[in-house]
């Protein structure tokens, strides 16, 4: 799940709506209850139907003009205020939402028109990013240092520090490997760890467990240009994506009401006006303004943030399981019915388990449907693979 974080007034709600506004209802969502601050966004990936020259019948996703839209959950993490890590403001709800997110899109007002408290005024998006990082660090520090005395007592029996820390941080989804990496140059005895060591560890764990992208929102405003350059200079290790949530929402709505058709190219996003006669002079001006923005930045950036979060931060790949490797279909003849999100490094057996535990347990071998060759259980899946799993009956 991706979390949207940002202080008030930076355009987070607009961003959330632009990402999650339902266009077409699709069944088979892999999610059960959707809370009010959660929504479904779609990551986009080239569908193999184009290359294979087939017409697909998606079930768990949708395909428009050869682009597969795969549903993912997005959570609007409300309540970022100074001291939120201590439960100020929205209290535990804020912390709970943070815990659930695998990665973040950190939304800042790149125009600098939002001040520290989230009011209209003078602000600095570079400072806002720093502030958020501190909040996250303090949040992890608080979890880490909670009942530290008790942990030290336990350490007298349990010598495995990594295991102790993993227990302490349960809920944050950090692997033992990552903890080991983070404490590699720390003293072997927990007794010797000082407060600044714990703070440093919190910082490292945040980097590992909560990767994020910076959405430099309101990029359409003139003051944004300079701030975007500063953000890129200041946060070289991070992806800074100029966005205009307002333009994305406007385009989505214009398309829904049949005024335009959006066109997506690998390089650039554009739109075609379907009926000029329906446009008021005001709408025409707005669309000209939007076109200028797209010419300058290539896209509204909103969809790009979600795609980058999955494909870049979380190392996701898309794999298409099929039951008939000749027709690329399921038993009913639906071509490329499901698009599964997997991670780089996942194997054919992992895919079988993801489809069904039983299929994982009965796994015999897999078939690469394009090349019609057999693959072993340890075959490392690649992006856009089409795979049939063969299992013991
Ligand atoms: N120019 C411009 N304005 C934007 C953009 N995104 C949002 N806004 C405007 O910024 C203001 C705040 O947007 P919201 O989406 O309500 O901001 P928020 O961060 O969710 O704020 P809270 O609801 O107070 O938490 C609104 O007036 C939006 O229309 C953008 O990309 N460009």
């Amino acid at each position: 799940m991706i979390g949207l974080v940002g202080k008030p007034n930076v355009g987070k709600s607009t961003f959330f709506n632009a990402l999650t506004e339902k266009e077409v209802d699709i069944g088979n969502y892999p999610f059960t209850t959707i809370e009010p601050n959660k929504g479904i966004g779609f990551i986009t990936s080239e569908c193999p139907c184009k290359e294979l020259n087939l017409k697909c019948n998606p079930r768990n996703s949708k395909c428009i003009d050869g682009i597969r839209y795969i549903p993912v959950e997005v959570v609007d993490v409300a309540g970022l205020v100074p001291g939120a890590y201590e439960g100020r403001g929205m209290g535990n709800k804020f912390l709970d939402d943070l815990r659930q997110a695998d990665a973040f899109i950190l939304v800042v007002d790149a125009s600098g028109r939002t001040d520290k408290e989230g009011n209209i005024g003078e602000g600095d998006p570079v400072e806002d990013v720093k502030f958020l990082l501190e909040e996250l660090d303090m949040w992890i520090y608080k979890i880490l240092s909670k009942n530290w005395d008790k942990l030290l007592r336990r350490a007298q029996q349990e010598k495995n520090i990594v295991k102790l820390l993993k227990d302490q941080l349960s809920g944050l989804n950090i692997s033992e490997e990552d903890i080991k990496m983070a404490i590699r140059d720390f003293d072997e005895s927990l007794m010797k760890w000082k407060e600044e060591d714990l703070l440093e560890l919190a910082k490292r764990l945040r980097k590992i467990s909560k990767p994020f992208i910076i959405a430099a929102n309101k990029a359409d405003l003139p003051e944004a240009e300079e701030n975007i350059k500063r953000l890129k200079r200041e946060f070289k290790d991070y992806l800074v994506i100029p966005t205009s949530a307002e333009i994305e929402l406007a385009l989505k709505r214009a398309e829904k009401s049949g005024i335009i058709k959006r066109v997506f190219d690998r390089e650039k996003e554009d739109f075609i006006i379907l009926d000029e006669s329906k446009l008021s002079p005001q709408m025409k001006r707005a669309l000209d303004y939007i076109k200028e923005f797209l010419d300058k930045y290539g896209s509204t950036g909103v969809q790009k943030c979600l795609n980058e979060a999955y494909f870049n931060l979380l190392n996701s790949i898309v794999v298409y399981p099929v039951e008939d490797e000749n027709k690329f279909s399921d038993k009913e003849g639906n071509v490329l019915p499901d698009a599964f999100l997997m991670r780089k490094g996942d194997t054919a057996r992992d895919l079988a388990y993801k489809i069904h535990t039983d299929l994982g347990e009965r796994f015999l071998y897999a078939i690469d449907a394009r090349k019609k060759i057999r693959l072993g259980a340890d075959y490392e899946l690649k992006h856009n693979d089409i795979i049939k799993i063969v299992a013991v009956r």
Side-chain angles (χ1 to χ4, degrees), residues 242-284:
T243 65
S244 176
E246 195 143 272
I247 289 184
E248 175 64 28
L249 199 56
L251 284 174
K252 267 214 169 110
R253 289 182 177 165
E255 185 168 46
K256 213 184 248 173
S257 52
I259 298 170
I260 60 161
K261 173 158 175 55
R262 299 179 77 178
V263 195
F264 299 97
D265 193 275
R266 264 199 196 167
E267 307 297 318
K268 204 181 150 293
E269 206 178 302
D270 204 355
F271 60 86
I272 303 162
I273 296 171
L274 294 177
D275 187 355
E276 290 264 359
S277 67
K278 275 192 193 153
L279 293 184
S280 66
Q282 198 191 2
M283 277 155 107
K284 176 91 182 65

Side-chain angles (χ1 to χ4, degrees), residues 216-228:
N217 196 39
K218 306 197 188 181
D220 54 292
L221 296 176
E223 301 91 330
E225 194 160 354
E226 196 43 44
N227 281 328
I228 291 169

Side-chain angles (χ1 to χ4, degrees), residues 169-343:
L169 297 163
S170 67
L172 280 180
N173 268 336
I174 307 181
S175 71
E176 292 200 5
E177 283 299 296
D178 287 339
I179 295 176
K180 224 183 257 173
M181 259 297 273
I183 60 168
R184 68 194 180 281
D185 50 355
F186 278 45
D187 196 286
E188 276 172 29
S189 164
L190 280 186
M191 300 290 187
K192 294 200 181 142
W193 291 12
K194 301 194 193 74
E195 197 174 322
E196 57 262 34
D197 295 323
L198 288 189
L199 266 170
E200 173 60 25
L201 181 56
K203 217 178 258 187
R204 291 184 191 180
L205 292 171
R206 184 258 303 155
K207 277 193 185 145
I208 295 167
S209 65
K210 301 289 169 188
F212 69 90
I213 281 173
I214 300 167
N217 196 39
K218 306 197 188 181
D220 54 292
L221 296 176
E223 301 91 330
E225 194 160 354
E226 196 43 44
N227 281 328
I228 291 169
K229 282 188 199 144
R230 284 179 56 233
L231 281 164
K232 286 186 174 171
R233 266 200 312 269
E234 195 75 30
F235 302 102
K236 283 202 181 71
D237 296 342
Y238 299 94
L239 260 172
V240 176
I241 301 179
T243 65
S244 176
E246 195 143 272
I247 289 184
E248 175 64 28
L249 199 56
L251 284 174
K252 267 214 169 110
R253 289 182 177 165
E255 185 168 46
K256 213 184 248 173
S257 52
I259 298 170
I260 60 161
K261 173 158 175 55
R262 299 179 77 178
V263 195
F264 299 97
D265 193 275
R266 264 199 196 167
E267 307 297 318
K268 204 181 150 293
E269 206 178 302
D270 204 355
F271 60 86
I272 303 162
I273 296 171
L274 294 177
D275 187 355
E276 290 264 359
S277 67
K278 275 192 193 153
L279 293 184
S280 66
Q282 198 191 2
M283 277 155 107
K284 176 91 182 65
R285 269 200 306 278
L287 287 175
D288 285 344
Y289 175 75
I290 291 176
K291 204 142 213 155
E292 243 174 69
F293 181 85
L294 293 178
D295 282 342
K296 184 168 176 187
Y297 287 107
S299 79
T300 68
V302 173
Q303 181 63 46
K304 190 171 174 190
C305 283
L306 195 61
N307 278 8
E308 291 287 354
Y310 274 87
F311 293 124
N312 197 322
L313 297 185
L314 298 175
N315 288 321
S316 296
I317 53 171
V318 183
V319 178
Y320 296 82
V322 293
E323 283 170 271
D324 182 332
E325 73 273 28
N326 295 311
K327 293 192 181 133
F328 302 101
S329 69
D330 62 10
K331 275 203 197 87
E332 285 83 43
N334 296 307
V335 174
L336 300 168
D338 296 322
F340 273 34
L341 272 183
M342 305 293 292
R343 296 242 176 143

Side-chain angles (χ1 to χ4, degrees), residues 49-273:
C49 70
K50 227 177 180 175
E51 148 219 342
L52 296 169
N53 207 10
L54 289 170
K55 189 174 167 0
C56 61
N57 318 89
R59 287 190 325 180
N60 78 340
S61 42
K62 56 183 176 168
C63 183
I64 303 171
D65 299 334
I67 296 174
R68 199 50 91 102
Y69 291 74
I70 304 155
V72 293
E73 230 178 334
V74 181
V75 56
D76 179 355
V77 183
L80 174 64
V81 291
Y85 72 89
E86 289 174 309
R88 268 195 64 207
M90 303 282 290
N92 290 333
K93 178 84 185 104
F94 172 73
L95 304 177
D96 243 26
D97 288 345
L98 279 187
R99 215 184 300 273
Q100 287 184 44
D102 302 307
F104 294 111
I105 297 171
L106 163 55
V107 188
V108 295
D109 178 350
S111 75
R113 291 187 190 178
T114 310
D115 74 9
K116 271 202 183 97
E117 274 72 44
N119 304 310
I120 295 173
E122 225 172 280
D124 179 356
V126 170
E127 288 306 313
D128 288 348
V129 176
K130 289 185 183 163
F131 155 68
L132 182 92
L133 295 189
E134 272 163 32
E135 282 291 322
L136 289 177
D137 291 346
M138 289 311 290
W139 165 61
I140 295 181
Y141 169 75
K142 204 169 161 242
I143 298 174
L144 192 62
S145 58
K146 197 176 172 192
N147 300 326
W148 189 250
D149 292 345
K150 220 162 132 193
L151 191 99
L152 288 181
R153 280 198 297 280
R154 271 189 65 205
Q156 285 164 358
Q157 273 101 50
E158 172 63 80
K159 294 285 175 238
N160 185 343
I161 299 183
V162 175
K163 187 175 175 302
L164 275 177
L165 291 173
K166 171 129 174 103
D167 290 350
Q168 180 82 343
L169 297 163
S170 67
L172 280 180
N173 268 336
I174 307 181
S175 71
E176 292 200 5
E177 283 299 296
D178 287 339
I179 295 176
K180 224 183 257 173
M181 259 297 273
I183 60 168
R184 68 194 180 281
D185 50 355
F186 278 45
D187 196 286
E188 276 172 29
S189 164
L190 280 186
M191 300 290 187
K192 294 200 181 142
W193 291 12
K194 301 194 193 74
E195 197 174 322
E196 57 262 34
D197 295 323
L198 288 189
L199 266 170
E200 173 60 25
L201 181 56
K203 217 178 258 187
R204 291 184 191 180
L205 292 171
R206 184 258 303 155
K207 277 193 185 145
I208 295 167
S209 65
K210 301 289 169 188
F212 69 90
I213 281 173
I214 300 167
N217 196 39
K218 306 197 188 181
D220 54 292
L221 296 176
E223 301 91 330
E225 194 160 354
E226 196 43 44
N227 281 328
I228 291 169
K229 282 188 199 144
R230 284 179 56 233
L231 281 164
K232 286 186 174 171
R233 266 200 312 269
E234 195 75 30
F235 302 102
K236 283 202 181 71
D237 296 342
Y238 299 94
L239 260 172
V240 176
I241 301 179
T243 65
S244 176
E246 195 143 272
I247 289 184
E248 175 64 28
L249 199 56
L251 284 174
K252 267 214 169 110
R253 289 182 177 165
E255 185 168 46
K256 213 184 248 173
S257 52
I259 298 170
I260 60 161
K261 173 158 175 55
R262 299 179 77 178
V263 195
F264 299 97
D265 193 275
R266 264 199 196 167
E267 307 297 318
K268 204 181 150 293
E269 206 178 302
D270 204 355
F271 60 86
I272 303 162
I273 296 171

